[in-house]
Amino acid sequence: MQITSRDFKRVASRKLADPKLQKALGNAKGKLVVTRARSILELDNYEEIREASARVRDFGLQNMDVLLEEWERRAVAAGTIVHWVESGREVNAKVIEIARRHNVRKIIKSKSMLGEETNLNHELEAAGLDVRETDLGEYIIQQSGETPSHIIAPAVHKSRDDVADLFAEKHQRRRLTDIAALTHEAREILRPHFLDADMGISGANFLVAETGSTMIVTNEGNGRMTTTMPRVHVAITGVEKIIPTLEDVSMILRLLTRSATGQSISNYLSFTTGPKRPDDKDGPGEFHVIIVDAGRTKVLASDMREALRCIRCGACMNHCPVYQNIGGHAYGWVYPGPIGSILTPSYVGLENAIDLPNAATLCNQCGVVCPVKIPLPDLMRKLREKQVERGLRPWGERVGLRLWAWAAARPRIYSLLTRIGARIGRLAGGRAGLLHKLPPGGSGWTTGRDFPAPKGKTFRELYARERAGKRSGPQ
Amino acid sequence: MSARENILGRIRAANGKTGAASAAEREAVAARLRTHARGPLPSMDWDPLPRFKERCIVMMSTVDQVASRSDLPAAIARYLTSNRLPLGGVCWPEFADLDWGGAGLDIAARPATGRDMVGVTGSFCAIAENGTLMLLSGEDTHATTSLLPETHIAVVPASRVVRSMEDGWDLLRREREGLPRQVNFVSGPSRTADIEMTLVMGVHGPFRVHVVVVN
C-alpha cells in the first residue's frame, strides 16, 4: 500500500471537517466500545486470561525460530507446500508464480492485512489476474478503489447511501438502500465467483506449531469458501503469527473476538492442515503457505518488539480518542490507531510517519483494552524520543528546545526570562486574563480556544515570597 | 543462503541467540507442545447440554430436541415446513439410511452444490461454552454441506456435547490420529456488520442454522 503517513496533519484536519465521516465514526464508536465491555464481563477471570495470553505471545516471540521449524515440519508432513520470503515484493511475486503454474485466471480472496501491506491485489491485477475480495467490507472498498480504514471493519467510513450508490453503479442493478438487501446483493454477485474461482488467497490469524495448521477467524463464511472451493489455496502470513498449541489458540480466541467485535466467539474458526486428503470430496488439491518477514525480524530486534504480540483485534483503535475522531485513512498506511502509530514507523521508517507517534494523548485507553497487554503508550513515547534523538523533528521545534535547554541550565537567566515572560503574558491577557493567540509554536492551541494568561508572577517568585513570609510570620 | 535461513538467522539474532538451536532448546519447545497444557479457563459451573442449547440461541441458531435418530426426518420436515423453506437438499452419508421420503423430504446423500437449499450434517462434537458445532472435513463429512445451502441443519447427539474448545481438542486427540484437512467451529449463521455496523445474517454462508439434539 502506498504510504501517505507524511500527510497526517493535513488529512486529519480534512477528516475532522467531513460530516459524513463524523457520523459514521460516531455510530461505530458507541457500538464497539459498549459491546466489548459487555462481552468481557462474561469472563470472570479476564485479567488472568489476558496475562496468560501476553505470556503465550511472548513465548512465541522468544522461541519463534524453533516454533516455526516445528510448524513447518508438521505442515510439510500434511502435504502443505511452505515458502519463505523476505519482502513484500517477493510475496506478490511468489503468489503470481504459483498462479501462473496452475493456469489460474480467477482468484477469490479473504481478508489479509499483509496483502494490504504488499499491495497484492494491485500486483495480481497488473499480472492479468482477476482477483475479488470477498469479505463484504473489503469487497466494498475494492469496488470503490479505496483502502481499508479499520483492520476489522474496512468500510466503516462509508454510509449505506455510499454503498447503495456504489453497488447500483458497479452491479448495474436497481439501487437498493436497505442494509440487509445490499448485503444479500453482494452475496448473489459473489456466489458464482466462489464456485468457479481457480485459486483462493487468505491470510492467517495464527500458525499452530503443534499441528502445522493455519487458522482464520471469520464471520461471513467467505474464509471457509476461500480455503475450500478453489483447486489451489495460498495463505500468506507474517512470522509473528506463530503460536505453540491448540490450547493456546483456544485461550486467546476468548479475548480476540470479544476485543474485536464484542462477540463471545466469531461464527467460523477454521483450522487448515494441508490440502485435500486422498478420499476427501472437497478442498484444494494444493495448499501453499508463504511465511513472510517484511520487517518483522527488524521489529523483533528493536525495542518495539512487544508490538509483535498484536493479534489484530482493533480494540486499541476503537477506544482511541484520536482514531474515534479522524478515522483510519489519515494514518496513511495499513494499520491505523495506536498499533498503527507503532507498526507504521517500524515497518516503513520513522521519517516517513513522523506525526503518527505524536497523534495520541497517551491517555492509555489502548493499553488498558489491549488483550495481550502491549504497552502502547510506552512504545509511542519511545518513538517520540527517537524522533528527537535522530533530529527528525521540524527545525523550529529543535531550535526552540535547544534554546530552552540552554536557558534552563542557567538559573539566573531562566529566572529573568520567565519573569519577563510572565509580565508580558499578564499585559497581553488584558482584563479577562486570556490569550486569544499564542505565538508560533503554540498557535495550534489557540486556533480553537483561549489560553489562560500568566498572572504576572513566576513560580519561583511566589515560592520565594512564601518562604520569606513563613520565616518572618508568627511562630 | 536461502530466505528461510536468513529469516531464521535474523530471528535468532534478534532474540540474542547465536548458532543453531541447541538440543536443549529444541526439547524445551517440544515439551511445551507435547503437554497440551491449558491456559486459565473462565468458570464453567453449568450443565453442558442446557448451556449448549441456550448459547445456540444467543448465537442466532434455532434448537430442537428429539428422542431418537429415527425421529429426525419428521422433526426436520416440521422445521422446514413451519418456516416455509424448501423440502429438498443434501445430507452427509451417515444419514442416508433415514426415511426422508416418508417425512415428505427429498434429501440426497452427496456433497452440496450451489443449487442445494438445505444441508443436513452431523458434528464431531458440540461445545457448550458458546453454542458451537465442531465439524471435521473428510470423505463422508463434506464441508460444502454446512456452507453452500441457505439452511444448515446440524444433528448433535446429546452425549457429544462437551464444555470447551479445549475439551473438543482432547476428544479429537483420543478418537483420531492427527487433524483432518480442516476443522471448522461453527457458531450460528453467517453474518456481517460491515455496513454501518448493522448486523445482517446470511452473507456467504447459511442464512440459518438449526440444531437438532438427539437424546
Short mmCIF file of all heavy atoms in Angstrom, two decimals, chain A residues 303-304 306 338 341-342 345 350 354-367 374-389 393:
data_model
loop_
_atom_site.label_atom_id
_atom_site.label_comp_id
_atom_site.label_asym_id
_atom_site.label_seq_id
_atom_site.Cartn_x
_atom_site.Cartn_y
_atom_site.Cartn_z
N ASP A 303 13.42 -2.18 20.20
CA ASP A 303 12.68 -2.02 21.46
C ASP A 303 11.17 -1.87 21.22
O ASP A 303 10.42 -1.53 22.12
CB ASP A 303 13.23 -0.85 22.28
CG ASP A 303 13.38 0.41 21.45
OD1 ASP A 303 12.99 0.39 20.26
OD2 ASP A 303 13.90 1.41 21.98
N MET A 304 10.72 -2.15 19.98
CA MET A 304 9.30 -2.15 19.67
C MET A 304 8.74 -3.58 19.66
O MET A 304 7.62 -3.82 19.23
CB MET A 304 9.04 -1.53 18.28
CG MET A 304 9.38 -0.06 18.17
SD MET A 304 8.30 0.97 19.15
CE MET A 304 9.51 1.78 20.19
N GLU A 306 7.45 -5.73 21.56
CA GLU A 306 6.17 -6.08 22.18
C GLU A 306 5.00 -5.86 21.22
O GLU A 306 3.95 -6.50 21.36
CB GLU A 306 5.96 -5.28 23.46
CG GLU A 306 6.81 -5.77 24.62
CD GLU A 306 7.11 -4.66 25.61
OE1 GLU A 306 7.55 -3.57 25.18
OE2 GLU A 306 6.90 -4.89 26.81
N PRO A 338 -3.58 3.40 17.52
CA PRO A 338 -2.34 3.27 18.31
C PRO A 338 -1.39 2.20 17.78
O PRO A 338 -0.19 2.46 17.65
CB PRO A 338 -2.87 2.92 19.70
CG PRO A 338 -4.21 3.58 19.76
CD PRO A 338 -4.79 3.44 18.38
N SER A 341 0.30 3.46 14.85
CA SER A 341 1.28 4.52 15.15
C SER A 341 2.62 3.93 15.56
O SER A 341 3.62 4.63 15.60
CB SER A 341 0.74 5.43 16.26
OG SER A 341 -0.41 6.09 15.79
N ILE A 342 2.62 2.63 15.90
CA ILE A 342 3.87 1.95 16.23
C ILE A 342 4.35 1.10 15.05
O ILE A 342 5.52 1.16 14.68
CB ILE A 342 3.67 1.08 17.49
CG1 ILE A 342 3.41 2.01 18.68
CG2 ILE A 342 4.87 0.20 17.75
CD1 ILE A 342 2.65 1.37 19.79
N PRO A 345 5.63 3.38 11.62
CA PRO A 345 7.01 3.85 11.66
C PRO A 345 8.02 2.70 11.70
O PRO A 345 9.11 2.81 11.12
CB PRO A 345 7.09 4.65 12.96
CG PRO A 345 5.69 4.94 13.35
CD PRO A 345 4.84 3.86 12.77
N LEU A 350 10.57 5.70 10.53
CA LEU A 350 10.04 6.78 11.36
C LEU A 350 9.93 8.09 10.58
O LEU A 350 8.99 8.86 10.74
CB LEU A 350 10.95 6.93 12.58
CG LEU A 350 10.51 7.85 13.72
CD1 LEU A 350 9.13 7.49 14.23
CD2 LEU A 350 11.52 7.80 14.86
N ILE A 354 6.25 10.55 10.55
CA ILE A 354 6.76 11.35 11.66
C ILE A 354 5.67 11.77 12.65
O ILE A 354 5.92 11.86 13.85
CB ILE A 354 7.52 12.59 11.09
CG1 ILE A 354 8.31 13.28 12.17
CG2 ILE A 354 6.59 13.55 10.38
CD1 ILE A 354 9.52 12.52 12.58
N ASP A 355 4.45 11.99 12.18
CA ASP A 355 3.42 12.51 13.09
C ASP A 355 2.69 11.41 13.86
O ASP A 355 2.00 11.69 14.83
CB ASP A 355 2.39 13.32 12.31
CG ASP A 355 2.97 14.62 11.80
OD1 ASP A 355 3.71 15.26 12.57
OD2 ASP A 355 2.71 14.97 10.64
N LEU A 356 2.81 10.15 13.41
CA LEU A 356 1.95 9.11 13.99
C LEU A 356 2.17 8.89 15.50
O LEU A 356 1.20 8.84 16.25
CB LEU A 356 2.08 7.80 13.22
CG LEU A 356 1.62 7.84 11.75
CD1 LEU A 356 1.45 6.42 11.22
CD2 LEU A 356 0.32 8.60 11.58
N PRO A 357 3.42 8.74 15.96
CA PRO A 357 3.57 8.51 17.41
C PRO A 357 3.08 9.70 18.24
O PRO A 357 2.84 9.57 19.43
CB PRO A 357 5.08 8.32 17.59
CG PRO A 357 5.61 8.04 16.23
CD PRO A 357 4.71 8.74 15.26
N ASN A 358 2.93 10.86 17.58
CA ASN A 358 2.50 12.05 18.30
C ASN A 358 0.99 12.23 18.23
O ASN A 358 0.44 13.08 18.91
CB ASN A 358 3.19 13.28 17.70
CG ASN A 358 4.69 13.12 17.68
OD1 ASN A 358 5.20 12.10 17.22
ND2 ASN A 358 5.41 14.09 18.20
N ALA A 359 0.34 11.40 17.39
CA ALA A 359 -1.11 11.52 17.24
C ALA A 359 -1.80 10.75 18.34
O ALA A 359 -2.59 9.84 18.09
CB ALA A 359 -1.53 11.00 15.87
N ALA A 360 -1.47 11.06 19.57
CA ALA A 360 -2.04 10.35 20.70
C ALA A 360 -1.96 11.25 21.91
O ALA A 360 -1.03 12.04 22.04
CB ALA A 360 -1.27 9.06 20.97
N THR A 361 -2.94 11.13 22.80
CA THR A 361 -2.90 11.92 24.02
C THR A 361 -2.19 11.14 25.12
O THR A 361 -2.04 11.63 26.22
CB THR A 361 -4.32 12.25 24.51
OG1 THR A 361 -4.99 11.01 24.78
CG2 THR A 361 -5.10 13.01 23.45
N LEU A 362 -1.76 9.89 24.82
CA LEU A 362 -1.17 8.98 25.81
C LEU A 362 -2.12 8.74 26.98
O LEU A 362 -1.71 8.61 28.12
CB LEU A 362 0.19 9.52 26.30
CG LEU A 362 1.25 9.76 25.22
CD1 LEU A 362 2.56 10.20 25.87
CD2 LEU A 362 1.49 8.51 24.39
N CYS A 363 -3.42 8.71 26.66
CA CYS A 363 -4.41 8.52 27.72
C CYS A 363 -4.45 7.07 28.21
O CYS A 363 -5.06 6.77 29.21
CB CYS A 363 -5.79 8.93 27.24
SG CYS A 363 -6.50 7.81 26.00
N ASN A 364 -3.81 6.17 27.44
CA ASN A 364 -3.67 4.76 27.84
C ASN A 364 -4.97 3.94 27.76
O ASN A 364 -5.03 2.84 28.26
CB ASN A 364 -3.05 4.63 29.24
CG ASN A 364 -2.53 3.22 29.48
OD1 ASN A 364 -2.11 2.54 28.54
ND2 ASN A 364 -2.57 2.75 30.71
N GLN A 365 -5.99 4.46 27.10
CA GLN A 365 -7.18 3.63 26.84
C GLN A 365 -6.76 2.39 26.05
O GLN A 365 -7.22 1.29 26.31
CB GLN A 365 -8.20 4.41 26.00
CG GLN A 365 -9.14 5.27 26.81
CD GLN A 365 -10.19 4.44 27.52
OE1 GLN A 365 -10.55 3.37 27.09
NE2 GLN A 365 -10.65 4.95 28.64
N CYS A 366 -5.87 2.60 25.06
CA CYS A 366 -5.42 1.48 24.21
C CYS A 366 -4.69 0.43 25.04
O CYS A 366 -4.91 -0.77 24.90
CB CYS A 366 -4.54 1.99 23.08
SG CYS A 366 -3.18 3.05 23.61
N GLY A 367 -3.83 0.91 25.94
CA GLY A 367 -3.07 -0.01 26.79
C GLY A 367 -3.99 -0.81 27.69
O GLY A 367 -3.77 -2.00 27.94
N ILE A 374 0.02 -5.07 25.23
CA ILE A 374 1.09 -4.29 24.59
C ILE A 374 1.10 -2.91 25.24
O ILE A 374 0.06 -2.26 25.31
CB ILE A 374 0.84 -4.16 23.06
CG1 ILE A 374 0.75 -5.53 22.42
CG2 ILE A 374 1.93 -3.32 22.40
CD1 ILE A 374 0.30 -5.50 20.96
N PRO A 375 2.26 -2.47 25.74
CA PRO A 375 2.30 -1.15 26.39
C PRO A 375 2.32 -0.04 25.34
O PRO A 375 3.34 0.62 25.13
CB PRO A 375 3.60 -1.21 27.20
CG PRO A 375 4.46 -2.18 26.47
CD PRO A 375 3.55 -3.16 25.78
N LEU A 376 1.19 0.15 24.67
CA LEU A 376 1.16 1.04 23.50
C LEU A 376 1.63 2.46 23.79
O LEU A 376 2.47 2.98 23.04
CB LEU A 376 -0.25 1.03 22.89
CG LEU A 376 -0.62 -0.32 22.25
CD1 LEU A 376 -2.09 -0.65 22.47
CD2 LEU A 376 -0.31 -0.34 20.77
N PRO A 377 1.17 3.11 24.87
CA PRO A 377 1.66 4.47 25.11
C PRO A 377 3.18 4.51 25.35
O PRO A 377 3.84 5.43 24.87
CB PRO A 377 0.90 4.92 26.36
CG PRO A 377 -0.29 4.03 26.43
CD PRO A 377 0.14 2.72 25.84
N ASP A 378 3.71 3.50 26.05
CA ASP A 378 5.17 3.49 26.29
C ASP A 378 5.93 3.41 24.97
O ASP A 378 6.95 4.07 24.78
CB ASP A 378 5.57 2.29 27.15
CG ASP A 378 5.02 2.41 28.57
OD1 ASP A 378 4.58 3.52 28.93
OD2 ASP A 378 5.03 1.39 29.28
N LEU A 379 5.42 2.57 24.05
CA LEU A 379 6.11 2.42 22.77
C LEU A 379 6.03 3.71 21.95
O LEU A 379 7.00 4.11 21.31
CB LEU A 379 5.53 1.24 21.98
CG LEU A 379 5.66 -0.14 22.66
CD1 LEU A 379 5.15 -1.24 21.73
CD2 LEU A 379 7.09 -0.44 23.07
N MET A 380 4.87 4.38 22.02
CA MET A 380 4.75 5.65 21.30
C MET A 380 5.71 6.69 21.88
O MET A 380 6.32 7.47 21.15
CB MET A 380 3.31 6.16 21.36
CG MET A 380 2.40 5.42 20.39
SD MET A 380 0.77 6.17 20.25
CE MET A 380 -0.12 5.24 21.47
N ARG A 381 5.85 6.66 23.22
CA ARG A 381 6.77 7.61 23.86
C ARG A 381 8.21 7.33 23.42
O ARG A 381 8.97 8.25 23.14
CB ARG A 381 6.62 7.51 25.39
CG ARG A 381 7.06 8.75 26.11
CD ARG A 381 6.82 8.67 27.62
NE ARG A 381 5.42 8.65 27.98
CZ ARG A 381 4.79 7.62 28.56
NH1 ARG A 381 5.46 6.51 28.83
NH2 ARG A 381 3.53 7.70 28.87
N LYS A 382 8.56 6.03 23.32
CA LYS A 382 9.92 5.69 22.85
C LYS A 382 10.15 6.21 21.44
O LYS A 382 11.23 6.68 21.11
CB LYS A 382 10.12 4.18 22.87
CG LYS A 382 10.49 3.62 24.23
CD LYS A 382 10.82 2.13 24.11
CE LYS A 382 10.72 1.46 25.49
NZ LYS A 382 10.70 0.00 25.39
N LEU A 383 9.13 6.11 20.59
CA LEU A 383 9.27 6.59 19.21
C LEU A 383 9.45 8.11 19.19
O LEU A 383 10.19 8.65 18.37
CB LEU A 383 8.07 6.17 18.36
CG LEU A 383 8.03 4.69 17.97
CD1 LEU A 383 6.70 4.35 17.31
CD2 LEU A 383 9.18 4.34 17.02
N ARG A 384 8.76 8.78 20.12
CA ARG A 384 8.93 10.25 20.19
C ARG A 384 10.36 10.58 20.58
O ARG A 384 10.97 11.51 20.04
CB ARG A 384 7.96 10.84 21.22
CG ARG A 384 6.51 10.73 20.81
CD ARG A 384 5.59 11.31 21.88
NE ARG A 384 4.19 11.12 21.51
CZ ARG A 384 3.18 11.69 22.16
NH1 ARG A 384 3.41 12.47 23.19
NH2 ARG A 384 1.94 11.47 21.77
N GLU A 385 10.90 9.80 21.52
CA GLU A 385 12.31 10.02 21.92
C GLU A 385 13.24 9.83 20.72
O GLU A 385 14.15 10.60 20.49
CB GLU A 385 12.71 9.05 23.04
CG GLU A 385 12.14 9.42 24.39
CD GLU A 385 12.28 8.28 25.40
OE1 GLU A 385 13.08 7.34 25.15
OE2 GLU A 385 11.60 8.34 26.43
N LYS A 386 12.96 8.79 19.94
CA LYS A 386 13.80 8.51 18.76
C LYS A 386 13.74 9.65 17.75
O LYS A 386 14.74 9.99 17.13
CB LYS A 386 13.34 7.22 18.07
CG LYS A 386 13.86 5.96 18.72
CD LYS A 386 13.45 4.76 17.84
CE LYS A 386 13.06 3.58 18.69
NZ LYS A 386 14.19 2.96 19.38
N GLN A 387 12.55 10.23 17.61
CA GLN A 387 12.42 11.37 16.67
C GLN A 387 13.38 12.48 17.07
O GLN A 387 14.03 13.09 16.22
CB GLN A 387 11.00 11.94 16.72
CG GLN A 387 9.93 11.04 16.17
CD GLN A 387 8.56 11.68 16.34
OE1 GLN A 387 8.40 12.69 17.01
NE2 GLN A 387 7.58 11.08 15.70
N VAL A 388 13.44 12.74 18.37
CA VAL A 388 14.29 13.82 18.85
C VAL A 388 15.76 13.43 18.70
O VAL A 388 16.57 14.18 18.17
CB VAL A 388 13.96 14.17 20.32
CG1 VAL A 388 14.93 15.21 20.87
CG2 VAL A 388 12.53 14.67 20.43
N GLU A 389 16.09 12.18 19.14
CA GLU A 389 17.48 11.72 19.05
C GLU A 389 17.99 11.76 17.61
O GLU A 389 19.14 12.11 17.36
CB GLU A 389 17.60 10.27 19.57
CG GLU A 389 17.55 10.16 21.08
CD GLU A 389 17.21 8.74 21.54
OE1 GLU A 389 17.26 7.81 20.69
OE2 GLU A 389 16.89 8.59 22.73
N ARG A 393 12.55 15.97 14.16
CA ARG A 393 11.50 16.95 14.42
C ARG A 393 11.73 18.18 13.55
O ARG A 393 12.86 18.45 13.12
CB ARG A 393 11.49 17.35 15.91
CG ARG A 393 11.21 16.21 16.88
CD ARG A 393 9.90 15.51 16.61
NE ARG A 393 8.77 16.43 16.57
CZ ARG A 393 7.60 16.16 15.98
NH1 ARG A 393 7.41 15.02 15.36
NH2 ARG A 393 6.64 17.03 15.99
#
